[in-house]
Amino acid sequence: MKTFLSLLAAMSTALTPAIAADPAPATPAGKTELAVLGGGCFWCTEAQYEMLKGVKTVVSGYCNGITENPTYKEVCAGDTQHNEVIQIEFDPTVISYKEIVDYFWIAHDPTTLNRQGNDVGDQYRSGIYYLNEEQKKIAQESMKAAQKDWDQPIVTEIVPLKKFYVAEDYHQDYFANNPSQGYCRAVVSPKVSKFRAKLAKEGKFKE
């Protein structure tokens, strides 16, 4: 359903060419930092992480594929090897990279290979794409700690970010702009509500 509706939107909306962004080193202390995560549909993870205190921006996009400047249609066809991901810009004085990753394990199901619910394909794989060795170490330790909360093995890939492409304009802030769309009501909204409750309980909800 999501793919069908999105392809219709793609045909009726003038698409903005994807913009490539090379991996960046960790930013100096006092500056914002970046995290790149793939947890299934980026409409879901974008809406979830936009609520997290300390997060400045969340951008939906594609990473770690073999096609230059991929389009949503190409990614959904399953031929580009890209993953749907979000690039999170955050203030490390408010929220740490470790906390960003720790919340990742409740934002999606990291035990299902190449799928989230009814969204099936390697573009929906669970992945953490690190920008430096420190992020790699933190992600691996966080995943090891999270395994105790899951009955099945976590299958999240933790690999270097190769290249990030910004998704088409209509994907950005999709849930905020389309709350009544069928997929948003059935899939995104319940995930957002659960995530919001967790953040509010822990004092991490962005007011």
Side-chain angles (χ1 to χ4, degrees):
M1 175 63 72
K2 173 216 171 186
T3 301
F4 174 72
L5 293 172
S6 300
L7 291 179
L8 288 180
M11 289 187 288
S12 62
T13 306
L15 301 183
T16 300
I19 301 172
D22 291 321
T27 50
K31 304 292 185 179
T32 58
E33 297 181 8
L34 298 176
V36 178
L37 308 173
C41 168
F42 48 27
W43 297 349
C44 295
T45 49
E46 178 193 67
Q48 289 168 306
Y49 273 92
E50 284 180 336
M51 299 185 295
L52 184 58
K53 187 181 295 184
V55 168
K56 297 293 187 180
T57 62
V58 183
V59 179
S60 290
Y62 318 109
C63 81
N64 286 36
I66 59 175
T67 302
E68 292 291 325
N69 300 308
T71 66
Y72 184 63
K73 183 177 181 180
E74 290 172 333
V75 172
C76 285
D79 299 325
T80 73
Q81 298 179 22
H82 285 91
N83 194 11
E84 285 193 18
V85 298
I86 53 171
Q87 178 180 267
I88 304 163
E89 181 187 8
F90 64 98
D91 181 349
T93 66
V94 179
I95 185 84
S96 67
Y97 181 76
K98 180 181 183 302
E99 290 174 300
I100 293 284
V101 175
D102 286 347
Y103 279 113
F104 181 62
W105 311 114
I106 65 170
H108 77 306
D109 183 349
T111 69
T112 53
L113 185 64
N114 295 333
R115 73 176 300 160
Q116 285 295 303
N118 292 325
D119 292 329
V120 181
D122 64 359
Q123 71 270 30
Y124 301 117
R125 64 190 183 270
S126 177
I128 299 175
Y129 304 93
Y130 60 84
L131 281 68
N132 52 55
E133 287 301 308
E134 181 63 17
Q135 287 192 352
K136 175 184 178 182
K137 179 181 177 182
I138 291 171
Q140 290 175 333
E141 291 176 348
S142 178
M143 183 171 72
K144 183 177 180 180
Q147 182 60 70
K148 69 180 186 299
D149 298 322
W150 295 91
D151 294 331
Q152 298 300 316
I154 291 176
V155 296
T156 303
E157 63 177 10
I158 300 177
V159 297
L161 177 66
K162 295 178 181 178
K163 183 169 284 189
F164 173 81
Y165 294 94
V166 177
E168 295 85 347
D169 282 349
Y170 73 92
H171 287 301
Q172 309 305 326
D173 296 312
Y174 191 89
F175 178 65
N177 294 327
N178 303 275
S180 297
Q181 193 257 25
Y183 183 89
C184 288
R185 286 185 316 208
V187 179
V188 185
S189 184
K191 287 189 174 185
V192 167
S193 295
K194 179 181 177 182
F195 202 70
R196 181 189 292 113
K198 177 72 171 177
L199 298 184
K201 180 179 180 181
E202 298 181 355
K204 295 294 184 178
F205 181 70
K206 185 191 300 181
E207 300 293 342

